[in-house]
Amino acid sequence: MNKPSVLDVARLAGVGTSTVSRVLNNQSNISAQSREKVLRAVEILGYTPNQDARSLRSGQTGAISVVLPLTGTHFYDTLLRHMHQVLSTQEYDLALFPVLGEQRIRRFREASALPYRADALVIASLDPERMYHGKPPFGKPIVLVDSFHRDYHSVCFDNLAAGQMAARHILKSGLPVVFVDVQENPGEFESPVFRDRREGLLQTLQQHHLEPVLTLKTTFQVEGGRAIAQDLYSLLNEKPHFIVAACDDIAVGLLRQLSEAGFQVGRDFLVCGFDDNPLARESALSTVQQPIAEVGEAAAKLLLRALQGELTHLALQTFHPRWQERSTTTFQH
Amino acid sequence: MNKPSVLDVARLAGVGTSTVSRVLNNQSNISAQSREKVLRAVEILGYTPNQDARSLRSGQTGAISVVLPLTGTHFYDTLLRHMHQVLSTQEYDLALFPVLGEQRIRRFREASALPYRADALVIASLDPERMYHGKPPFGKPIVLVDSFHRDYHSVCFDNLAAGQMAARHILKSGLPVVFVDVQENPGEFESPVFRDRREGLLQTLQQHHLEPVLTLKTTFQVEGGRAIAQDLYSLLNEKPHFIVAACDDIAVGLLRQLSEAGFQVGRDFLVCGFDDNPLARESALSTVQQPIAEVGEAAAKLLLRALQGELTHLALQTFHPRWQERSTTTFQH
DNA sequence: CTGTTAGCGCTTTCAA
DNA sequence: TTGAAAGCGCTAACAG
């Protein structure tokens, strides 16, 4: 037998279809009697509403799509958990759409793509301009997270301030600086995150007439840090340096490789990173912490307001980093 | 102005709505002339089809949902990338639904939940029986990945064989065994993965009249391994042991903490794990590798066949582990 | 408080 | 090869 429809339920309950609809949507003007009958019929038939029809009719899907570069990192995991926590208080389901490669980008430029079958869209860490060559094909609320564009609501980390913050701690040490930047994959978008960190860092250093004695680039994993450690050996043999890496993973790789090569943190070098991911915590790495949880929650709340049409002006929320002092930035005497 | 519909396109093109529909769906019986007119009208109006209406009418969504416990790990990242690679050759979009907490489980039991607005469902690492207290509320193809149930197509890792494989390498060493199992979070489901690894391991050891001299449990992160390392100090001071951990993270935590405490791998202890994640590679940990990529691809292909109705019988595919010999399971002489 | 009815936008017969 | 028209399952306006 076919899936039962509202009509089947209505017939069995001996009421009209609108009564069924009202009961199912918890509307108020319903007698206890009718409600009872409808619910019983629903139960008997094992009726479940067709969501496509519901969406077609009401124009609402109950879905919120999150487009993000990838899953599989602490950053997105944390971000999503916190967004999720806020959004699930309402009746919204969250669907994730990682942009795994160029192929998906092209697909996501089409208005018929799955992410746009939703009531609202979250775009995380991606520049809408570059991703879409213009505007996303989506006419409902959009919130940018970890990314900024003047045409959209945005919730951002202040990466410029993060860079400045690192610079200030470097300056306190009085040591010469080595900066290890992230090597962007050619063909992938340049990340504004690293651009801003770099800018804030170098800017503040310059204001104090300090420039890195050496700048290196490497991939943003632990292995990337390990790989370029040897380029520092001669420098560190000469005198201690402060090494600032553009992310924790690189910093940790550096820390480990240098330690294994006989250099001692706190004596031969100091090192710090950015992010405060679990690896940093584990390795006692001093770092500039990004308030991921706060940003996730703020974005979700913003979205909720946008969905309720309460957001008349373009919102821009910026969250400030926090310095996490651990053991890799103090001299051992 | 409102979003244009097929009717608007049809009017502008001077054709009927069915002609518009046929052009948009690349059907054959269309004159080049009509096609031309329709496409031009589509262009002018910026028309994009309403997917809800399309789904309602055709019963197809073009979506495949993946329900998984969490994102944010190498395992799921790898699995998804490979599934994605296969599925995107067809016109399917992949949507991810991490089950973040008990709240979501309840929601996902409802037939109206977002994951079920799809043409097929992938359930990763979750036992449908426990998750749904019965069957998922979904009448279309379902494929289980990293999980088995006799009522569904399944693509699995042979965790029993993985446990046996570890046992065989332990036996070769002739050392007494310490087994560090994963502590399941109370309230969460017991993972069949760890159950099978444990069973395969202990079973094979027993067949050779060997039993662990000590069994410990801890959480499955690196920190979990570190935390219980001290429980082994006296044992290792006495004589060397082979430590087998139920996953790489724990093994690495153990390896690191024991090394820092002055014990030497290859002399005071040997250690191996399961999974072969990046951390294992980085730490030169011997481990039982799970062929994640193959499983992901196999699952995707199975799904495609199921969608085409080619799958008449229940499929069960099992993939075998591979031993990754690195430096933590050989004695240094 | 309730039932009848008109579409939401599309695909797909059916007849031309 | 094409157009008219039916109807997928639902919600909401309207009339009672």
Side-chain angles (χ1 to χ4, degrees):
Chain A
M1 189 189 124
N2 271 337
K3 260 197 86 181
S5 76
V6 260
L7 195 62
D8 299 310
V9 176
R11 274 201 284 257
L12 181 59
V15 300
T17 58
S18 58
T19 301
V20 174
S21 177
R22 284 187 194 109
V23 170
L24 263 33
N25 293 288
N26 298 313
Q27 296 190 4
S28 42
N29 306 327
I30 284 287
S31 71
Q33 209 177 22
S34 294
R35 163 166 282 115
E36 186 73 9
K37 283 193 291 185
V38 168
L39 291 178
R40 200 189 312 282
V42 165
E43 188 71 23
I44 291 169
L45 294 173
Y47 167 79
T48 57
N50 178 316
Q51 295 300 323
D52 289 318
R54 202 190 264 245
S55 299
L56 173 59
R57 185 60 236 245
S58 68
Q60 303 224 318
T61 62
I64 291 173
S65 295
V66 182
V67 174
L68 71 177
L70 49 98
T71 61
T73 66
H74 169 72
F75 177 84
Y76 291 112
D77 192 51
T78 308
L79 193 69
L80 290 168
R81 278 176 192 276
H82 286 266
M83 288 189 44
H84 183 270
Q85 203 178 345
V86 172
L87 291 173
S88 60
T89 61
Q90 313 296 313
E91 289 277 270
Y92 286 109
D93 280 352
L94 216 54
L96 269 42
F97 299 92
V99 181
L100 304 167
E102 187 62 36
Q103 198 178 17
R104 276 303 87 175
I105 295 183
R106 268 198 300 280
R107 172 68 180 135
F108 284 176
R109 290 202 184 114
E110 296 169 29
S112 61
L114 191 54
Y116 313 121
R117 246 175 279 180
D119 295 334
L121 184 62
V122 176
I123 299 178
S125 310
L126 296 165
D127 180 350
E129 202 78 52
R130 299 195 194 197
M131 166 114 180
Y132 293 104
H133 295 332
K135 289 192 170 299
F138 187 72
K140 298 173 190 167
I142 298 180
V143 170
L144 262 41
V145 183
D146 183 31
S147 163
F148 167 77
H149 191 287
R150 67 179 178 289
D151 295 343
Y152 307 95
H153 304 301
S154 309
V155 183
C156 304
F157 299 98
D158 192 338
N159 289 301
L160 211 64
Q164 294 165 348
M165 183 171 278
R168 259 176 274 123
H169 286 271
I170 291 169
L171 286 162
K172 274 202 301 190
S173 78
L175 295 179
V177 188
V178 175
F179 175 42
V180 183
D181 204 353
V182 167
Q183 174 90 62
E184 309 272 347
N185 286 331
E188 281 184 23
F189 304 143
E190 188 211 19
S191 163
V193 173
F194 297 116
R195 197 209 329 105
D196 289 352
R197 287 178 182 174
R198 184 191 317 130
E199 200 175 306
L201 177 80
L202 298 179
Q203 195 181 67
T204 300
L205 289 180
Q206 233 158 32
Q207 282 166 8
H208 295 76
H209 312 289
L210 189 63
E211 280 202 14
V213 294
L214 180 65
T215 297
L216 297 169
K217 287 193 172 206
T218 190
T219 53
F220 69 79
Q221 298 90 346
V222 175
E223 279 312 313
R226 292 194 106 112
I228 47 98
Q230 56 191 32
D231 297 357
L232 303 178
Y233 291 173
S234 64
L235 222 55
L236 299 191
N237 275 324
E238 205 181 301
K239 61 193 290 200
H241 285 69
F242 196 120
I243 307 168
V244 51
C247 68
D248 287 340
D249 283 352
I250 292 179
V252 168
L254 240 13
L255 176 62
R256 289 192 186 155
Q257 190 68 40
L258 289 173
S259 301
E260 287 169 22
F263 295 99
Q264 199 177 309
V265 66
R267 188 193 65 187
D268 304 316
F269 67 98
L270 300 181
V271 60
C272 77
F274 288 86
D275 287 335
D276 194 29
N277 68 23
L279 200 57
R281 223 162 300 146
E282 194 200 315
S283 307
L285 178 78
S286 293
T287 189
V288 181
Q289 180 184 71
Q290 299 294 25
I292 308 175
E294 292 171 45
V295 165
E297 280 164 26
K301 284 176 187 159
L302 203 60
L303 207 63
L304 249 26
R305 285 207 292 149
L307 281 164
Q308 279 149 28
E310 290 174 10
L311 230 49
T312 49
H313 299 304
L314 225 45
L316 168 58
Q317 292 179 21
T318 303
F319 284 78
H320 288 272
R322 215 160 61 85
W323 176 254
Q324 269 293 347
E325 176 88 28
R326 295 212 180 86
S327 64
T328 61
T329 44
T330 44
F331 262 105
Q332 257 113 55
H333 297 287
Chain B
M1 186 188 130
N2 269 338
K3 257 196 88 182
S5 75
V6 260
L7 194 63
D8 299 310
V9 176
R11 275 201 284 256
L12 181 60
V15 299
T17 59
S18 54
T19 301
V20 175
S21 176
R22 283 193 270 260
V23 171
L24 263 35
N25 293 288
N26 297 313
Q27 294 189 6
S28 42
N29 305 327
I30 285 288
S31 68
Q33 209 177 21
S34 293
R35 163 165 283 115
E36 186 73 8
K37 283 192 291 185
V38 168
L39 291 178
R40 198 189 314 281
V42 164
E43 188 70 24
I44 292 169
L45 295 173
Y47 167 78
T48 57
N50 178 317
Q51 295 302 321
D52 289 318
R54 204 189 262 247
S55 298
L56 173 60
R57 187 59 237 244
S58 69
Q60 303 225 319
T61 62
I64 291 174
S65 295
V66 182
V67 174
L68 71 177
L70 48 99
T71 61
T73 67
H74 169 74
F75 178 83
Y76 291 110
D77 192 51
T78 308
L79 193 68
L80 289 169
R81 277 176 193 277
H82 287 266
M83 288 190 42
H84 182 268
Q85 203 177 346
V86 172
L87 291 174
S88 60
T89 62
Q90 314 294 314
E91 289 278 87
Y92 285 109
D93 281 353
L94 215 54
L96 269 42
F97 298 92
V99 181
L100 304 168
E102 186 62 36
Q103 199 178 15
R104 276 302 87 173
I105 295 182
R106 268 199 300 281
R107 172 68 180 134
F108 284 176
R109 291 204 183 111
E110 296 169 29
S112 62
L114 190 54
Y116 312 121
R117 247 175 280 180
D119 295 334
L121 183 63
V122 177
I123 300 178
S125 310
L126 297 164
D127 179 351
E129 201 78 53
R130 299 196 195 199
M131 166 117 179
Y132 294 104
H133 294 159
K135 289 191 170 299
F138 187 72
K140 298 173 192 167
I142 298 179
V143 170
L144 263 41
V145 183
D146 182 33
S147 161
F148 167 77
H149 192 286
R150 67 179 179 288
D151 295 343
Y152 306 95
H153 305 299
S154 309
V155 183
C156 304
F157 299 98
D158 192 339
N159 289 301
L160 211 65
Q164 293 165 350
M165 183 172 278
R168 260 177 273 122
H169 286 270
I170 292 168
L171 287 162
K172 275 203 299 192
S173 78
L175 295 179
V177 188
V178 175
F179 175 41
V180 183
D181 205 351
V182 166
Q183 174 89 61
E184 310 272 347
N185 287 331
E188 281 184 22
F189 304 141
E190 188 211 17
S191 161
V193 173
F194 297 116
R195 197 208 329 103
D196 289 351
R197 288 179 180 175
R198 184 191 316 130
E199 202 174 305
L201 177 80
L202 298 180
Q203 196 182 63
T204 300
L205 290 180
Q206 233 159 32
Q207 283 166 7
H208 295 78
H209 313 289
L210 190 64
E211 279 202 12
V213 295
L214 181 65
T215 297
L216 297 169
K217 287 193 172 205
T218 190
T219 53
F220 69 78
Q221 299 91 343
V222 175
E223 279 311 313
R226 293 194 105 112
I228 47 96
Q230 58 190 29
D231 297 357
L232 303 178
Y233 291 172
S234 63
L235 222 55
L236 299 191
N237 274 324
E238 207 181 299
K239 62 192 294 199
H241 285 70
F242 196 120
I243 307 167
V244 51
C247 67
D248 286 340
D249 283 352
I250 292 178
V252 168
L254 240 12
L255 176 62
R256 289 193 186 154
Q257 190 69 41
L258 289 173
S259 302
E260 287 168 22
F263 295 99
Q264 198 179 310
V265 66
R267 187 192 67 188
D268 304 316
F269 68 98
L270 301 181
V271 60
C272 77
F274 290 86
D275 287 334
D276 194 29
N277 67 24
L279 200 58
R281 225 162 300 146
E282 193 200 317
S283 307
L285 179 78
S286 293
T287 188
V288 180
Q289 180 186 70
Q290 299 293 25
I292 308 174
E294 292 172 44
V295 164
E297 279 165 26
K301 283 176 188 162
L302 203 60
L303 207 62
L304 249 26
R305 286 208 291 146
L307 281 165
Q308 279 149 29
E310 290 174 10
L311 229 50
T312 49
H313 299 303
L314 225 47
L316 168 57
Q317 293 179 20
T318 303
F319 285 78
H320 289 272
R322 215 161 62 86
W323 176 254
Q324 270 293 347
E325 178 86 30
R326 295 209 181 86
S327 65
T328 61
T329 46
T330 45
F331 262 103
Q332 258 113 56
H333 296 290

